Coordinates of all heavy atoms in Angstrom, one line a residue:
M1 N -0.4 13.7 15.5 CA -0.6 12.5 14.9 C -0.1 12.6 13.5 O -0.4 13.5 12.7 CB -2.0 12.0 15.0 CG -2.2 10.6 14.5 SD -3.9 10.0 14.6 CE -4.0 9.5 16.2
T2 N 0.8 11.6 13.1 CA 1.4 11.6 11.7 C 0.3 11.2 10.7 O -0.7 10.6 11.0 CB 2.6 10.7 11.6 OG1 2.1 9.3 11.7 CG2 3.6 11.0 12.6
V3 N 0.6 11.5 9.5 CA -0.3 11.1 8.4 C -0.4 9.6 8.3 O -1.5 9.1 8.2 CB 0.2 11.6 7.0 CG1 -0.6 11.0 5.8 CG2 0.3 13.1 7.0
I4 N 0.6 8.9 8.5 CA 0.6 7.4 8.5 C -0.3 6.9 9.7 O -1.1 6.0 9.5 CB 2.0 6.8 8.6 CG1 2.7 7.0 7.3 CG2 2.0 5.3 9.0 CD1 4.1 6.4 7.2
E5 N -0.1 7.5 10.9 CA -0.9 7.1 12.0 C -2.4 7.3 11.7 O -3.2 6.5 12.1 CB -0.6 7.9 13.3 CG 0.7 7.4 13.9 CD 1.0 8.4 15.1 OE1 1.3 9.5 14.9 OE2 1.2 7.8 16.2
T6 N -2.7 8.5 11.2 CA -4.1 8.9 10.8 C -4.7 7.8 9.8 O -5.8 7.3 10.0 CB -4.2 10.3 10.3 OG1 -3.6 11.2 11.2 CG2 -5.6 10.6 9.9
L7 N -4.0 7.5 8.7 CA -4.4 6.6 7.8 C -4.6 5.2 8.4 O -5.7 4.5 8.1 CB -3.4 6.6 6.6 CG -3.8 5.6 5.4 CD1 -5.2 6.0 4.8 CD2 -2.8 5.7 4.3
L8 N -3.7 4.8 9.1 CA -3.7 3.4 9.7 C -4.9 3.3 10.6 O -5.8 2.4 10.6 CB -2.5 3.1 10.5 CG -2.4 1.7 11.2 CD1 -2.7 0.6 10.2 CD2 -1.2 1.5 11.9
N9 N -5.2 4.3 11.4 CA -6.4 4.4 12.3 C -7.7 4.3 11.5 O -8.6 3.6 11.9 CB -6.3 5.6 13.2 CG -7.3 5.7 14.2 OD1 -7.6 4.6 14.9 ND2 -7.9 6.8 14.5
K10 N -7.7 5.1 10.5 CA -8.9 5.1 9.6 C -9.2 3.7 9.0 O -10.3 3.2 9.0 CB -8.7 6.2 8.5 CG -9.9 6.3 7.5 CD -9.6 7.4 6.6 CE -10.8 7.5 5.6 NZ -10.6 8.6 4.6
L11 N -8.1 3.0 8.5 CA -8.3 1.7 7.9 C -8.7 0.6 9.0 O -9.5 -0.1 8.7 CB -7.0 1.3 7.1 CG -6.7 2.2 5.9 CD1 -5.3 1.8 5.4 CD2 -7.7 2.0 4.9
Q12 N -8.0 0.8 10.2 CA -8.3 -0.2 11.2 C -9.7 0.0 11.8 O -10.3 -1.0 12.2 CB -7.3 -0.1 12.3 CG -6.0 -0.6 12.0 CD -4.9 -0.3 13.0 OE1 -5.0 0.6 13.8 NE2 -4.0 -1.2 13.2
N13 N -10.3 1.1 11.7 CA -11.6 1.4 12.2 C -12.7 1.5 11.1 O -13.8 1.8 11.3 CB -11.7 2.7 13.1 CG -10.8 2.4 14.3 OD1 -11.0 1.5 15.0 ND2 -9.9 3.3 14.5
G14 N -12.3 1.2 9.9 CA -13.3 1.3 8.7 C -13.8 -0.1 8.4 O -13.7 -1.0 9.3
P15 N -14.2 -0.3 7.2 CA -14.8 -1.6 6.7 C -13.7 -2.7 6.9 O -12.5 -2.4 6.7 CB -15.2 -1.4 5.4 CG -15.0 0.1 5.1 CD -14.3 0.7 6.2
T16 N -14.1 -3.9 7.2 CA -13.3 -5.0 7.2 C -12.5 -5.2 5.9 O -11.3 -5.5 5.8 CB -13.9 -6.3 7.7 OG1 -14.5 -5.9 9.0 CG2 -13.0 -7.4 7.9
I17 N -13.3 -5.2 4.9 CA -12.8 -5.5 3.5 C -13.1 -4.2 2.7 O -14.2 -3.7 2.7 CB -13.5 -6.7 2.9 CG1 -13.3 -7.9 3.7 CG2 -13.0 -6.8 1.4 CD1 -11.8 -8.4 3.9
L18 N -12.1 -3.7 2.1 CA -12.1 -2.4 1.3 C -12.4 -2.8 -0.1 O -12.0 -3.8 -0.7 CB -10.9 -1.7 1.4 CG -10.3 -1.3 2.8 CD1 -8.9 -0.7 2.6 CD2 -11.2 -0.3 3.4
T19 N -13.2 -1.9 -0.8 CA -13.4 -2.0 -2.2 C -12.1 -1.6 -3.0 O -11.2 -0.9 -2.3 CB -14.5 -1.0 -2.8 OG1 -14.1 0.4 -2.6 CG2 -15.8 -1.4 -2.0
L20 N -11.9 -1.8 -4.2 CA -10.7 -1.4 -5.0 C -10.7 0.1 -5.0 O -9.6 0.7 -4.9 CB -10.8 -2.0 -6.5 CG -9.5 -1.7 -7.2 CD1 -8.3 -2.2 -6.6 CD2 -9.7 -2.1 -8.6
S21 N -11.8 0.8 -5.1 CA -11.8 2.2 -5.0 C -11.2 2.7 -3.7 O -10.4 3.6 -3.7 CB -13.2 2.8 -5.2 OG -13.2 4.2 -5.1
Q22 N -11.5 2.1 -2.5 CA -11.0 2.5 -1.3 C -9.5 2.2 -1.2 O -8.7 2.9 -0.6 CB -11.7 1.8 -0.2 CG -13.2 2.3 -0.1 CD -14.0 1.5 0.9 OE1 -14.0 0.2 0.8 NE2 -14.8 2.1 1.8
I23 N -9.1 1.0 -1.7 CA -7.7 0.6 -1.8 C -6.9 1.7 -2.5 O -5.8 2.1 -2.0 CB -7.5 -0.8 -2.4 CG1 -8.2 -1.9 -1.4 CG2 -6.1 -1.1 -2.7 CD1 -8.4 -3.2 -2.1
L24 N -7.3 2.0 -3.7 CA -6.7 3.0 -4.6 C -6.6 4.3 -3.9 O -5.5 5.0 -4.0 CB -7.3 3.1 -6.0 CG -7.2 1.8 -6.8 CD1 -8.1 1.9 -8.1 CD2 -5.8 1.5 -7.2
C25 N -7.6 4.7 -3.2 CA -7.5 5.9 -2.5 C -6.4 6.0 -1.3 O -5.7 6.9 -1.2 CB -8.9 6.2 -1.9 SG -9.1 7.8 -1.1
A26 N -6.4 4.9 -0.7 CA -5.3 4.7 0.4 C -4.0 4.7 -0.2 O -3.0 5.3 0.3 CB -5.6 3.4 1.2
M27 N -3.8 4.0 -1.4 CA -2.5 4.0 -2.1 C -2.2 5.4 -2.5 O -1.0 5.8 -2.3 CB -2.6 3.1 -3.3 CG -2.6 1.6 -3.0 SD -2.9 0.7 -4.6 CE -2.6 -1.0 -4.0
K28 N -3.1 6.2 -2.9 CA -2.8 7.6 -3.4 C -2.4 8.4 -2.2 O -1.4 9.2 -2.2 CB -4.1 8.2 -4.0 CG -3.9 9.5 -4.4 CD -5.1 10.2 -5.1 CE -5.1 11.5 -5.5 NZ -6.2 12.1 -6.1
S29 N -3.1 8.2 -1.0 CA -2.6 8.9 0.2 C -1.2 8.5 0.6 O -0.4 9.4 1.0 CB -3.6 8.5 1.4 OG -4.8 9.0 1.1
L30 N -0.8 7.2 0.5 CA 0.5 6.7 0.9 C 1.6 7.4 0.1 O 2.6 7.8 0.6 CB 0.6 5.2 0.7 CG -0.1 4.3 1.7 CD1 0.0 2.9 1.4 CD2 0.5 4.6 3.1
R31 N 1.2 7.6 -1.3 CA 2.2 8.2 -2.1 C 2.5 9.7 -1.8 O 3.5 10.2 -2.3 CB 1.8 8.1 -3.6 CG 1.8 6.6 -3.8 CD 1.9 6.1 -5.3 NE 3.1 6.9 -5.9 CZ 3.2 7.0 -7.3 NH1 2.3 6.4 -8.0 NH2 4.3 7.5 -7.8
T32 N 1.7 10.3 -1.0 CA 1.9 11.8 -0.7 C 2.7 11.9 0.6 O 3.1 13.0 1.0 CB 0.5 12.5 -0.4 OG1 -0.1 11.9 0.8 CG2 -0.4 12.3 -1.7
I33 N 3.0 10.8 1.3 CA 3.8 10.9 2.5 C 5.3 10.9 2.2 O 5.8 10.2 1.4 CB 3.4 9.6 3.4 CG1 2.0 9.6 3.7 CG2 4.3 9.6 4.7 CD1 1.5 8.4 4.4
A34 N 5.9 11.8 2.9 CA 7.4 12.0 2.7 C 8.1 10.7 3.1 O 7.7 10.0 4.0 CB 7.9 13.1 3.6
E35 N 9.2 10.3 2.3 CA 9.9 9.2 2.6 C 10.5 9.0 4.0 O 10.5 8.1 4.6 CB 11.1 9.0 1.6 CG 10.5 8.5 0.2 CD 11.6 8.3 -0.8 OE1 12.8 8.1 -0.4 OE2 11.3 8.2 -2.0
D36 N 10.9 10.3 4.6 CA 11.4 10.3 5.9 C 10.3 9.8 6.9 O 10.6 9.1 7.9 CB 11.8 11.8 6.3 CG 13.0 12.2 5.6 OD1 13.8 11.3 5.0 OD2 13.3 13.4 5.7
E37 N 9.1 10.2 6.7 CA 8.0 9.7 7.6 C 7.8 8.3 7.4 O 7.5 7.4 8.4 CB 6.7 10.5 7.4 CG 5.6 10.1 8.3 CD 4.3 10.8 8.2 OE1 4.4 12.0 7.7 OE2 3.3 10.3 8.5
I38 N 7.8 7.8 6.2 CA 7.6 6.3 6.0 C 8.7 5.6 6.7 O 8.4 4.5 7.3 CB 7.6 6.1 4.4 CG1 6.3 6.6 3.8 CG2 7.7 4.5 4.1 CD1 6.3 6.6 2.2
I39 N 10.0 6.0 6.5 CA 11.1 5.3 7.2 C 10.9 5.3 8.7 O 11.0 4.2 9.4 CB 12.4 6.0 6.9 CG1 12.6 5.7 5.3 CG2 13.6 5.4 7.6 CD1 13.7 6.7 4.8
K40 N 10.5 6.4 9.2 CA 10.3 6.6 10.7 C 9.2 5.7 11.2 O 9.2 5.1 12.3 CB 10.1 8.1 11.1 CG 10.0 8.3 12.5 CD 9.8 9.8 12.8 CE 9.6 10.1 14.3 NZ 9.4 11.5 14.5
E41 N 8.2 5.7 10.4 CA 7.0 4.9 10.8 C 6.8 3.6 10.0 O 5.7 3.2 9.6 CB 5.7 5.8 10.5 CG 5.7 7.0 11.2 CD 5.2 6.9 12.7 OE1 4.7 5.9 13.0 OE2 5.5 7.8 13.5
G42 N 7.9 2.9 9.7 CA 8.0 1.7 8.9 C 7.0 0.6 9.3 O 6.4 0.0 8.4
D43 N 6.9 0.3 10.5 CA 6.0 -0.7 11.0 C 4.6 -0.3 10.7 O 3.8 -1.2 10.2 CB 6.2 -1.1 12.5 CG 7.6 -1.7 12.7 OD1 8.1 -2.3 11.8 OD2 8.0 -1.6 13.9
R44 N 4.2 0.9 10.9 CA 2.9 1.3 10.6 C 2.5 1.3 9.1 O 1.5 0.9 8.6 CB 2.5 2.7 11.2 CG 2.4 2.7 12.7 CD 1.9 4.0 13.3 NE 1.7 4.0 14.7 CZ 2.4 4.6 15.6 NH1 3.4 5.4 15.2 NH2 2.1 4.5 16.9
F45 N 3.6 1.7 8.4 CA 3.4 1.7 6.9 C 3.2 0.3 6.4 O 2.3 0.0 5.6 CB 4.7 2.3 6.3 CG 4.8 2.3 4.8 CD1 4.1 3.1 4.1 CD2 5.5 1.3 4.0 CE1 4.0 3.2 2.7 CE2 5.5 1.3 2.7 CZ 4.8 2.2 2.0
L46 N 3.9 -0.7 7.0 CA 3.7 -2.1 6.6 C 2.4 -2.5 7.0 O 1.7 -3.4 6.3 CB 4.9 -2.9 7.1 CG 6.2 -2.7 6.6 CD1 7.3 -3.5 7.3 CD2 6.3 -2.9 5.0
A47 N 2.0 -2.1 8.2 CA 0.6 -2.6 8.7 C -0.5 -2.0 7.7 O -1.5 -2.8 7.4 CB 0.3 -2.0 10.1
I48 N -0.3 -0.7 7.2 CA -1.3 -0.3 6.1 C -1.2 -1.2 5.0 O -2.3 -1.6 4.4 CB -0.9 1.2 5.8 CG1 -1.2 2.0 7.0 CG2 -1.7 1.6 4.6 CD1 -0.7 3.5 6.9
L49 N 0.0 -1.5 4.5 CA 0.1 -2.4 3.3 C -0.6 -3.7 3.5 O -1.2 -4.3 2.7 CB 1.5 -2.5 2.9 CG 2.2 -1.3 2.3 CD1 3.7 -1.6 2.0 CD2 1.5 -0.8 1.1
D50 N -0.4 -4.3 4.7 CA -1.1 -5.6 5.1 C -2.6 -5.4 5.0 O -3.2 -6.4 4.4 CB -0.6 -6.0 6.4 CG 0.8 -6.4 6.5 OD1 1.4 -6.7 5.4 OD2 1.4 -6.5 7.7
I51 N -3.2 -4.3 5.4 CA -4.5 -4.2 5.3 C -5.0 -4.1 3.8 O -6.0 -4.7 3.4 CB -5.1 -2.9 6.0 CG1 -4.9 -3.1 7.6 CG2 -6.5 -2.5 5.7 CD1 -5.0 -1.9 8.5
L52 N -4.3 -3.4 3.1 CA -4.5 -3.3 1.6 C -4.5 -4.5 0.9 O -5.3 -5.0 0.1 CB -3.7 -2.1 1.0 CG -3.8 -0.7 1.5 CD1 -2.8 0.2 0.8 CD2 -5.3 -0.3 1.6
V53 N -3.4 -5.3 1.3 CA -3.2 -6.6 0.6 C -4.4 -7.6 0.9 O -5.0 -8.3 0.0 CB -1.9 -7.3 1.1 CG1 -1.9 -8.8 0.9 CG2 -0.8 -6.7 0.4
E54 N -4.9 -7.6 2.2 CA -5.9 -8.5 2.6 C -7.2 -8.1 1.8 O -7.9 -9.0 1.3 CB -6.2 -8.3 4.1 CG -7.3 -9.3 4.6 CD -7.4 -9.2 6.1 OE1 -6.5 -8.8 6.8 OE2 -8.5 -9.5 6.6
S55 N -7.6 -6.8 1.8 CA -8.7 -6.4 1.0 C -8.5 -6.7 -0.5 O -9.5 -7.2 -1.2 CB -9.0 -5.0 1.2 OG -9.6 -4.8 2.5
Y56 N -7.4 -6.4 -1.0 CA -7.2 -6.7 -2.5 C -7.4 -8.2 -2.8 O -8.1 -8.5 -3.8 CB -5.8 -6.2 -2.8 CG -5.5 -6.4 -4.3 CD1 -6.0 -5.4 -5.2 CD2 -4.7 -7.4 -4.8 CE1 -5.8 -5.5 -6.6 CE2 -4.5 -7.5 -6.2 CZ -5.1 -6.6 -7.1 OH -4.8 -6.8 -8.4
A57 N -6.8 -9.0 -1.9 CA -6.9 -10.4 -2.3 C -8.3 -11.0 -2.1 O -8.7 -11.9 -2.8 CB -6.0 -11.2 -1.3
D58 N -9.0 -10.5 -1.1 CA -10.4 -10.8 -0.9 C -11.4 -10.4 -1.9 O -12.2 -11.1 -2.3 CB -11.0 -10.3 0.5 CG -10.5 -11.2 1.6 OD1 -10.0 -12.3 1.3 OD2 -10.7 -10.8 2.9
S59 N -11.3 -9.1 -2.4 CA -12.3 -8.6 -3.3 C -11.8 -7.7 -4.3 O -12.2 -7.7 -5.5 CB -13.4 -7.9 -2.5 OG -13.0 -6.7 -1.9
G60 N -10.8 -6.9 -4.0 CA -10.3 -5.8 -4.9 C -9.8 -6.4 -6.3 O -10.0 -5.8 -7.3
I61 N -9.2 -7.6 -6.2 CA -8.6 -8.1 -7.5 C -9.7 -8.3 -8.5 O -9.5 -8.3 -9.7 CB -7.9 -9.4 -7.2 CG1 -7.0 -9.9 -8.4 CG2 -8.8 -10.5 -6.7 CD1 -6.0 -10.9 -8.1
F62 N -11.0 -8.6 -8.1 CA -12.1 -8.8 -9.0 C -12.5 -7.6 -9.6 O -13.4 -7.7 -10.5 CB -13.2 -9.6 -8.2 CG -12.6 -10.9 -7.7 CD1 -12.5 -11.1 -6.3 CD2 -12.3 -12.0 -8.5 CE1 -12.1 -12.3 -5.7 CE2 -11.7 -13.1 -7.9 CZ -11.7 -13.3 -6.6
E63 N -12.2 -6.5 -9.1 CA -12.6 -5.2 -9.7 C -11.6 -4.5 -10.6 O -11.9 -3.5 -11.2 CB -12.9 -4.2 -8.5 CG -14.0 -4.6 -7.5 CD -14.0 -3.7 -6.4 OE1 -14.4 -2.5 -6.6 OE2 -13.9 -4.1 -5.2
V64 N -10.4 -5.1 -10.8 CA -9.4 -4.6 -11.7 C -9.9 -4.8 -13.1 O -10.3 -5.8 -13.5 CB -8.0 -5.3 -11.5 CG1 -7.0 -4.8 -12.5 CG2 -7.6 -5.1 -10.0
D65 N -9.7 -3.6 -13.8 CA -10.0 -3.6 -15.3 C -9.0 -2.7 -16.0 O -8.2 -2.1 -15.4 CB -11.5 -3.3 -15.5 CG -12.0 -2.0 -15.1 OD1 -11.1 -1.0 -15.0 OD2 -13.1 -1.8 -14.7
D66 N -9.2 -2.5 -17.3 CA -8.3 -1.7 -18.0 C -8.4 -0.2 -17.6 O -7.4 0.5 -17.8 CB -8.7 -1.7 -19.6 CG -8.3 -3.0 -20.1 OD1 -7.5 -3.8 -19.6 OD2 -8.9 -3.4 -21.2
S67 N -9.5 0.2 -16.9 CA -9.5 1.6 -16.5 C -8.8 1.9 -15.2 O -8.5 3.1 -14.9 CB -11.0 2.0 -16.4 OG -11.5 1.4 -15.2
N68 N -8.4 0.9 -14.5 CA -7.7 1.1 -13.2 C -6.4 0.4 -13.0 O -5.6 0.7 -12.1 CB -8.7 0.9 -12.0 CG -9.3 -0.5 -12.1 OD1 -8.6 -1.5 -12.5 ND2 -10.6 -0.6 -11.5
K69 N -6.1 -0.6 -13.8 CA -4.9 -1.4 -13.6 C -3.6 -0.6 -13.7 O -2.6 -0.9 -13.0 CB -4.9 -2.7 -14.5 CG -4.6 -2.4 -16.0 CD -4.6 -3.7 -16.7 CE -4.4 -3.5 -18.1 NZ -4.4 -4.7 -18.9
F70 N -3.7 0.5 -14.5 CA -2.4 1.3 -14.5 C -2.1 2.0 -13.2 O -1.0 2.2 -12.9 CB -2.6 2.4 -15.6 CG -3.5 3.5 -15.3 CD1 -2.9 4.7 -14.8 CD2 -4.8 3.4 -15.5 CE1 -3.8 5.8 -14.4 CE2 -5.7 4.5 -15.2 CZ -5.2 5.7 -14.6
L71 N -3.2 2.2 -12.3 CA -3.0 2.7 -11.0 C -2.2 1.8 -10.1 O -1.3 2.2 -9.4 CB -4.3 3.2 -10.4 CG -5.1 4.3 -11.1 CD1 -6.5 4.4 -10.7 CD2 -4.3 5.6 -11.0
L72 N -2.6 0.5 -10.2 CA -1.9 -0.5 -9.5 C -0.5 -0.6 -10.0 O 0.5 -0.8 -9.2 CB -2.5 -1.8 -9.5 CG -3.9 -1.8 -8.9 CD1 -4.7 -3.1 -9.3 CD2 -3.8 -1.8 -7.3
D73 N -0.2 -0.6 -11.3 CA 1.2 -0.8 -11.8 C 1.9 0.5 -11.3 O 3.2 0.2 -11.0 CB 1.1 -0.8 -13.3 CG 0.5 -2.1 -13.9 OD1 0.4 -3.1 -13.1 OD2 0.0 -2.1 -15.0
D74 N 1.4 1.6 -11.4 CA 2.1 2.8 -10.9 C 2.5 2.7 -9.4 O 3.6 3.1 -9.0 CB 1.2 4.1 -11.2 CG 2.0 5.3 -11.2 OD1 3.2 5.5 -11.6 OD2 1.5 6.3 -10.4
F75 N 1.5 2.3 -8.6 CA 1.9 2.1 -7.2 C 2.9 1.0 -7.0 O 3.8 1.2 -6.2 CB 0.5 1.6 -6.5 CG 0.7 1.5 -4.9 CD1 0.8 2.7 -4.1 CD2 0.8 0.3 -4.3 CE1 0.9 2.6 -2.8 CE2 0.9 0.2 -2.9 CZ 1.0 1.3 -2.2
N76 N 2.9 -0.1 -7.7 CA 3.9 -1.1 -7.7 C 5.3 -0.6 -8.0 O 6.3 -0.8 -7.3 CB 3.6 -2.3 -8.6 CG 2.6 -3.2 -8.0 OD1 2.4 -3.2 -6.8 ND2 1.9 -4.0 -8.9
A77 N 5.3 0.3 -9.0 CA 6.6 0.8 -9.4 C 7.1 1.7 -8.3 O 8.4 1.7 -8.0 CB 6.5 1.7 -10.7
W78 N 6.3 2.5 -7.6 CA 6.7 3.3 -6.5 C 7.2 2.5 -5.4 O 8.2 2.8 -4.8 CB 5.5 4.2 -6.1 CG 5.7 5.0 -4.9 CD1 6.5 6.2 -4.8 CD2 5.2 4.8 -3.6 NE1 6.5 6.7 -3.5 CE2 5.7 5.8 -2.8 CE3 4.4 3.8 -3.0 CZ2 5.4 5.9 -1.4 CZ3 4.1 3.9 -1.7 CH2 4.6 4.9 -0.9
L79 N 6.5 1.4 -5.1 CA 6.9 0.5 -4.0 C 8.3 -0.1 -4.3 O 9.0 -0.3 -3.4 CB 5.9 -0.6 -3.7 CG 4.6 -0.4 -3.0 CD1 3.8 -1.7 -2.8 CD2 5.0 0.2 -1.6
I80 N 8.5 -0.5 -5.4 CA 9.8 -1.1 -5.8 C 10.9 -0.1 -5.6 O 11.9 -0.5 -5.0 CB 9.8 -1.5 -7.3 CG1 8.9 -2.8 -7.6 CG2 11.2 -1.9 -7.9 CD1 8.6 -3.2 -9.0
E81 N 10.7 1.1 -6.1 CA 11.8 2.1 -5.8 C 11.9 2.5 -4.4 O 13.0 2.6 -3.9 CB 11.5 3.4 -6.6 CG 11.6 3.3 -8.1 CD 12.9 2.7 -8.5 OE1 13.9 3.2 -8.1 OE2 13.0 1.7 -9.3
L82 N 10.9 2.6 -3.7 CA 10.9 2.8 -2.2 C 11.6 1.6 -1.5 O 12.5 1.9 -0.7 CB 9.6 3.0 -1.6 CG 9.4 3.4 -0.2 CD1 10.0 4.7 0.1 CD2 8.0 3.2 0.2
G83 N 11.3 0.4 -1.8 CA 12.0 -0.8 -1.2 C 13.4 -0.9 -1.5 O 14.2 -1.4 -0.7
K84 N 13.8 -0.4 -2.8 CA 15.3 -0.5 -3.1 C 16.1 0.5 -2.2 O 17.2 0.3 -1.8 CB 15.4 -0.1 -4.5 CG 15.1 -1.2 -5.5 CD 15.3 -0.7 -6.9 CE 14.9 -1.7 -8.0 NZ 15.0 -1.1 -9.4
K85 N 15.4 1.7 -2.0 CA 16.1 2.7 -1.2 C 16.0 2.5 0.3 O 17.0 2.8 0.9 CB 15.5 4.1 -1.5 CG 15.8 4.6 -3.0 CD 15.4 6.0 -3.2 CE 13.9 6.2 -3.4 NZ 13.6 7.5 -3.7
H86 N 14.9 2.0 0.7 CA 14.7 1.9 2.2 C 14.0 0.6 2.6 O 12.8 0.5 2.7 CB 13.8 3.1 2.7 CG 14.2 4.4 2.1 ND1 15.3 5.1 2.7 CD2 13.7 5.2 1.2 CE1 15.4 6.2 2.0 NE2 14.5 6.4 1.2
P87 N 14.8 -0.5 2.8 CA 14.1 -1.7 3.3 C 13.5 -1.4 4.7 O 14.2 -0.7 5.5 CB 15.3 -2.6 3.5 CG 16.4 -2.1 2.6 CD 16.3 -0.6 2.5
L88 N 12.4 -1.9 4.9 CA 11.6 -1.5 6.0 C 11.2 -2.7 7.0 O 11.3 -3.9 6.5 CB 10.2 -0.9 5.6 CG 10.3 0.4 4.8 CD1 8.9 0.8 4.2 CD2 10.9 1.5 5.7
G89 N 11.0 -2.4 8.2 CA 10.5 -3.4 9.1 C 11.6 -4.3 9.7 O 12.7 -4.0 9.5
K90 N 11.2 -5.1 10.6 CA 12.2 -6.0 11.3 C 13.0 -6.8 10.3 O 14.2 -7.1 10.6 CB 11.5 -6.8 12.4 CG 10.8 -6.1 13.4 CD 10.0 -7.0 14.3 CE 9.2 -6.1 15.2 NZ 7.9 -6.7 15.4
N91 N 12.4 -7.2 9.3 CA 13.1 -8.2 8.3 C 13.7 -7.4 7.2 O 14.1 -8.0 6.2 CB 12.1 -9.2 7.8 CG 11.5 -10.1 8.8 OD1 12.3 -10.4 9.8 ND2 10.3 -10.5 8.9
K92 N 13.7 -6.1 7.3 CA 14.3 -5.2 6.2 C 13.6 -5.6 4.9 O 14.2 -5.9 3.9 CB 15.7 -5.3 6.1 CG 16.4 -4.8 7.4 CD 16.1 -3.4 7.7 CE 16.7 -2.9 8.9 NZ 16.2 -1.6 9.4
D93 N 12.3 -5.5 4.9 CA 11.4 -5.9 3.8 C 11.7 -5.0 2.6 O 11.7 -3.8 2.7 CB 10.0 -5.8 4.1 CG 9.0 -6.5 3.1 OD1 9.3 -6.5 1.9 OD2 8.0 -7.0 3.5
D94 N 11.9 -5.5 1.4 CA 12.3 -4.7 0.2 C 10.9 -4.5 -0.5 O 11.0 -3.9 -1.6 CB 13.3 -5.4 -0.8 CG 12.7 -6.7 -1.3 OD1 11.5 -7.1 -1.1 OD2 13.5 -7.4 -2.0
L95 N 9.8 -4.8 0.0 CA 8.4 -4.5 -0.5 C 8.0 -5.3 -1.7 O 6.9 -5.2 -2.2 CB 8.2 -3.0 -0.7 CG 8.6 -2.1 0.5 CD1 8.4 -0.6 0.1 CD2 7.7 -2.5 1.7
L96 N 8.9 -6.2 -2.2 CA 8.5 -7.0 -3.4 C 7.4 -7.9 -3.1 O 6.6 -8.2 -4.1 CB 9.8 -7.7 -3.9 CG 10.8 -6.8 -4.6 CD1 12.0 -7.7 -5.1 CD2 10.2 -6.0 -5.8
S97 N 7.2 -8.4 -1.9 CA 6.1 -9.3 -1.7 C 4.8 -8.6 -1.8 O 3.8 -9.1 -2.3 CB 6.1 -9.9 -0.3 OG 6.1 -8.8 0.7
Y98 N 4.7 -7.2 -1.5 CA 3.5 -6.4 -1.8 C 3.4 -6.1 -3.2 O 2.2 -6.3 -3.8 CB 3.6 -5.1 -1.0 CG 3.6 -5.3 0.5 CD1 4.8 -5.2 1.2 CD2 2.5 -5.5 1.2 CE1 4.9 -5.4 2.6 CE2 2.6 -5.8 2.5 CZ 3.7 -5.7 3.3 OH 3.8 -5.9 4.7
V99 N 4.4 -6.0 -4.0 CA 4.3 -5.7 -5.4 C 3.7 -6.9 -6.1 O 2.8 -6.8 -7.0 CB 5.7 -5.4 -6.0 CG1 5.7 -5.3 -7.5 CG2 6.2 -4.0 -5.5
S100 N 4.1 -8.2 -5.7 CA 3.7 -9.3 -6.3 C 2.1 -9.5 -6.1 O 1.4 -10.0 -6.9 CB 4.4 -10.6 -5.9 OG 4.2 -10.8 -4.6
T101 N 1.6 -9.1 -4.9 CA 0.2 -9.2 -4.5 C -0.6 -8.2 -5.4 O -1.7 -8.6 -5.8 CB 0.0 -8.9 -3.0 OG1 0.8 -9.9 -2.3 CG2 -1.4 -8.9 -2.6
F102 N -0.1 -7.0 -5.5 CA -0.8 -6.0 -6.2 C -0.6 -6.1 -7.8 O -1.0 -5.2 -8.5 CB -0.5 -4.6 -5.8 CG -0.9 -4.3 -4.4 CD1 0.1 -3.8 -3.5 CD2 -2.2 -4.5 -3.9 CE1 -0.2 -3.5 -2.2 CE2 -2.5 -4.2 -2.6 CZ -1.6 -3.7 -1.8
S103 N 0.0 -7.1 -8.3 CA 0.3 -7.2 -9.6 C -1.0 -7.4 -10.4 O -1.8 -8.2 -10.0 CB 1.3 -8.5 -9.9 OG 1.4 -8.7 -11.3
T104 N -1.1 -6.7 -11.5 CA -2.3 -7.0 -12.3 C -2.1 -8.0 -13.5 O -2.9 -8.2 -14.3 CB -2.6 -5.6 -13.0 OG1 -1.5 -5.1 -13.8 CG2 -3.0 -4.6 -12.0
T105 N -1.0 -8.7 -13.4 CA -0.7 -9.7 -14.5 C -0.7 -11.1 -13.9 O -0.1 -12.0 -14.4 CB 0.7 -9.5 -15.1 OG1 1.6 -9.5 -14.1 CG2 0.8 -8.1 -15.8
M106 N -1.5 -11.3 -12.8 CA -1.6 -12.6 -12.1 C -2.4 -13.5 -13.0 O -3.2 -13.2 -13.8 CB -2.3 -12.5 -10.8 CG -1.4 -11.6 -9.9 SD -1.6 -11.6 -8.1 CE -3.1 -12.0 -7.6

């Protein structure tokens, strides 16, 4: 089982809504995955991002403060670079829709 499959399984079988701490932990895990695996498992990668977006929009956004917003900004920068190099999914998503969701300047 790949790292992406393992993480997706964990998120799908975990709490319905994640805390910001759990979201940031998942983001940290995503950043450790090799780009080759992300490309190969693009649909699963996007499914993970969808889970994170849902939790972030429901509750995580209310937990953002000066002590953690830089982590979201850093993840967004990583997503932007990844999306520029490797558009993912059926629609060749450039990941910018996820970046706008995780923006701390809303």
